[in-house]
Amino acid sequence: QVRLVESGGGLLQAGDSLRLTCVASGLFGKTYVWAWFRQAPGKEREFVAAINSSGGAALDADSVKGRFTISRDAVKNTIFLEVNSLKPEDTAVYYCAADPSGSWRTGVENYDYWGQGTQVAVSS
């Protein structure tokens, strides 16, 4: 059984930094792409960043580039999202997801496995 569990969210102030963690279990024998998505109140879930089994990385567009860093601990099956210089518009539920195809894809529909999400709230 595949399970993804996020943690690390909370209430922060603009300019703060945080690290989100996603621990995965039940995924074996495949080349996965791991990703972070976020969903702000009243908005659609959007792609944030992705990393593949070999440690390559892809980032979203300008809204997060330079502030968000995705990384992976292969031994512990854990994915991280480091976020610097938080802004109020980063307020969202952040989700970890896995795509067993191994392809670089950014659509919500491409990811088969999801965590329950962790809330990040940023005050100005």
Side-chain angles (χ1 to χ4, degrees):
Q1 181 181 357
V2 176
R3 189 168 183 230
L4 305 177
V5 180
E6 304 97 331
S7 62
L11 177 61
L12 301 104
Q13 294 187 331
D16 286 348
S17 300
L18 85 159
R19 185 174 77 163
L20 303 178
T21 299
C22 173
V23 179
S25 60
L27 292 165
F28 303 101
K30 289 182 179 290
T31 300
Y32 288 88
V33 170
W34 304 89
W36 286 96
F37 287 75
R38 66 182 181 182
Q39 187 165 16
K43 296 187 177 181
E44 294 186 352
R45 194 169 300 188
E46 66 172 354
F47 171 81
V48 173
I51 191 167
N52 64 13
S53 301
S54 62
L59 287 175
D60 196 4
D62 297 341
S63 60
V64 304
K65 193 168 291 184
R67 295 192 301 123
F68 286 38
T69 303
I70 189 170
S71 61
R72 175 174 179 264
D73 183 331
V75 174
K76 297 182 178 180
N77 260 353
T78 301
I79 312 299
F80 304 100
L81 185 69
E82 303 271 356
V83 183
N84 297 312
S85 302
L86 279 163
K87 304 176 181 180
E89 51 264 43
D90 294 322
T91 294
V93 178
Y94 284 72
Y95 297 92
C96 176
D99 178 0
S101 76
S103 301
W104 290 108
R105 302 190 290 184
T106 62
V108 171
E109 67 279 6
N110 299 133
Y111 287 78
D112 292 346
Y113 306 108
W114 293 86
Q116 82 289 348
T118 185
Q119 175 74 54
V120 174
V122 184
S123 62
S124 57

